[in-house]
């Protein structure tokens, strides 16, 4: 019972993982958090390859009786969360955690307060995400990128959803293969179905995970997910999701200038080639300095920013162009029909989520 004499809402925690060591830290923090714990913890092993070795995780003793390890399909976190949702059990709330977050010391108590305060049409309640940054120096480009999670809306690093709302919209859209935009897509669909989303009081820490020099190049794959968001939700989804627009238009312009310079040089048009090369160089230098200036400006950081600022624009353009072709036939989403939503909510969980 809580302080008002009411039994706190029952919930299941779903954690997709690819076997990172930080999963153990997440589970330890969850076990140590004060308050009413989950009725079930579902850890979805989404590693690639089969057969899989045992998952490298230490499950705290207090969580072992309620923890289930289930195999995923190695199709990304959206699909893994749908797998966890299928086996979450008959609970009114499902809380999604990433395997690299650390719930706060009063997380369970705060979650109980968040869920108890939710109105009957509140479909989800988010957490407060904290990203610790170094205090003795300016953060690196990657650290600043991770710090953006603290202001992201409806982020599934720690997001509680009412089971009825999830079933009504069919769970996560598995066309989003990365940990990017799948949370914004779900939030917009839940809201379009007539549910509201609320900000909660619980706090979860998202540490900056180690990354190599080229991580900023790899994350440009998210430009493909933005194309799918445009197709599904219209070009104003950025405003409704309160998402930053990024630099894609500039990346496309810089890439076009570079491609034009090469083409003109190959066709013996040196003056035009030089002009296009100057535009490419100016755009690349501006981008590099925009990333170097707020950082620690160490030698390694400057070299990393210089190299990746050359690579990022064409990689971003490549992912964007590929997604334009891949998602060209994706129809825009329509508001769910009342009858369809009611039918979906009444079906078993395994049928209510996307395949």
């Amino acid at each position: 019972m809580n302080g008002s004499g009411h039994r706190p809402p029952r919930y299941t925690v779903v954690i997709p993982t690819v076997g990172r060591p930080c999963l153990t830290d997440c589970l330890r923090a969850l076990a140590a958090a004060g308050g009413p714990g989950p009725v079930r913890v579902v850890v979805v092993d989404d590693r690639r390859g089969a057969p899989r070795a045992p998952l490298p995780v230490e499950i705290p003793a207090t969580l072992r009786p309620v923890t289930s390890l289930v195999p995923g399909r190695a199709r990304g976190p959206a699909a893994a969360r749908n797998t966890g949702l299928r086996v979450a059990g008959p609970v009114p709330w499902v809380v999604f955690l990433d395997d690299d977050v650390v719930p706060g010391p009063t997380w369970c108590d705060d979650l109980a307060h968040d869920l108890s305060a939710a109105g009957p049409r509140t479909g989800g309640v988010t957490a407060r995400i904290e990203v610790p940054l170094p205090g003795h120096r300016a953060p690196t480009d990657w650290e600043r990128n991770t710090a953006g999670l603290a202001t992201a809306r409806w982020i599934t690093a720690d997001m509680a959803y009412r089971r009825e709302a999830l079933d009504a919209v069919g769970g996560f859209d598995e066309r989003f293969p990365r940990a990017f935009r799948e949370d914004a897509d779900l939030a917009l669909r839940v809201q379009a179905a007539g549910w509201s989303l609320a900000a909660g009081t619980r706090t979860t820490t998202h540490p900056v995970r180690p990354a190599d020099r080229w991580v900023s190049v790899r994350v440009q794959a998210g430009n493909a997910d933005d194309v799918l968001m445009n197709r599904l939700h219209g070009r104003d989804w950025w405003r409704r999701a309160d998402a930053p627009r990024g630099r894609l238009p500039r990346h496309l312009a810089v890439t076009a200038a570079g491609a034009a310079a090469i083409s003109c040089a190959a066709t013996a048009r040196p003056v035009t080639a030089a002009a296009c090369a100057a535009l490419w160089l100016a755009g690349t230098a501006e981008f590099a300095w925009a990333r170097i200036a707020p950082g620690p400006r160490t030698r390694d950081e400057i070299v990393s920013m210089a190299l990746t600022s050359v690579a990022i624009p064409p990689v971003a353009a490549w992912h964007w162009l590929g997604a334009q072709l891949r998602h060209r036939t994706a129809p825009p989403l329509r508001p769910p029909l009342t009858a369809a939503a009611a039918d979906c909510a009444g079906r078993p969980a395994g049928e209510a989520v996307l395949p």
Side-chain angles (χ1 to χ4, degrees):
M1 297 290 182
N2 57 22
S4 61
H6 299 292
R7 187 178 300 277
R10 300 168 69 248
Y11 65 96
T12 289
V13 171
V14 173
I15 308 174
T17 185
V18 289
R20 295 184 293 189
C22 52
L23 173 61
T24 294
D25 297 330
C26 177
L27 292 174
R28 285 174 178 167
L30 178 61
V39 299
R40 192 173 189 184
V41 177
V42 180
V43 177
V44 183
D45 181 357
D46 207 40
R47 292 176 295 171
R48 295 185 181 277
R52 297 184 177 103
L55 190 66
V57 60
E58 296 178 17
I59 301 175
T62 55
L63 290 182
R64 288 174 194 163
V66 298
T67 299
S68 301
L69 301 179
V70 299
R73 292 168 287 156
R75 292 178 55 187
R81 294 188 189 108
N82 281 343
T83 296
L85 179 58
R86 291 189 181 97
V87 297
V91 290
W93 291 91
V94 178
V95 184
F96 298 102
L97 294 178
D98 285 349
D99 67 354
D100 56 350
V101 302
V102 181
T106 60
W107 187 86
C108 293
D109 262 332
D110 296 337
L111 175 66
H113 176 270
D114 289 346
L115 302 186
S116 297
R121 293 302 298 174
T122 300
V125 185
T126 188
R128 297 173 179 174
I129 303 297
E130 295 183 348
V131 179
L133 296 176
H136 62 286
R137 59 166 173 78
T140 64
D141 179 71
W142 175 239
E143 290 166 344
R144 296 194 304 274
N145 181 283
T146 304
L149 298 176
T151 56
R153 297 185 70 187
W154 325 131
I155 181 174
T156 41
D158 182 348
M159 183 72 185
Y161 272 105
R162 194 182 295 273
R163 179 59 180 268
E164 183 183 355
L166 289 170
D167 289 347
V169 302
F172 288 86
D173 188 334
E174 297 181 10
R175 287 174 292 183
F176 291 92
R178 288 165 284 274
F180 192 67
R181 301 305 190 207
E182 86 293 352
D183 45 11
D185 166 75
L186 177 61
L188 291 177
R189 288 189 288 115
V190 167
Q191 290 175 312
W195 300 89
S196 65
L197 299 176
T201 61
R202 65 192 186 280
T203 300
T204 294
T205 299
H206 192 303
V208 179
R209 69 176 186 268
D212 61 43
R213 171 173 289 170
W214 302 101
V215 63
S216 58
V217 178
R218 292 194 298 273
V219 300
Q220 298 308 310
N223 285 284
D225 303 310
D226 285 344
V227 172
L228 181 55
M229 288 292 289
N230 286 343
R231 298 288 188 187
L232 298 178
H233 299 283
R235 295 188 178 277
D236 68 334
W237 73 266
W238 304 87
R239 175 186 55 79
R240 290 182 283 130
D242 197 20
R245 290 300 302 263
R247 296 178 62 104
L248 178 63
R250 297 187 189 185
H251 291 335
L252 295 177
V254 168
T255 302
I262 295 172
S263 175
C264 290
T267 54
R269 289 182 287 173
V271 174
T272 306
C276 292
L279 289 174
W280 173 85
L281 181 60
T284 301
E286 182 276 330
F287 179 41
W289 179 245
R291 303 169 68 207
I292 292 170
R297 304 189 195 181
T298 61
R299 181 180 181 278
D300 185 67
E301 178 76 355
I302 292 172
V303 170
S304 295
M305 295 302 97
L307 292 175
T308 57
S309 294
V310 172
I312 284 174
V315 171
W318 173 261
H319 286 294
W320 179 81
L321 286 171
Q324 293 288 350
L325 295 174
R326 190 162 58 254
H327 300 307
R328 65 187 181 280
T329 60
L333 291 176
R334 294 172 294 179
L337 298 175
T338 303
D343 176 68
C344 185
R347 296 205 304 264
E351 298 177 13
V353 293
L354 293 171

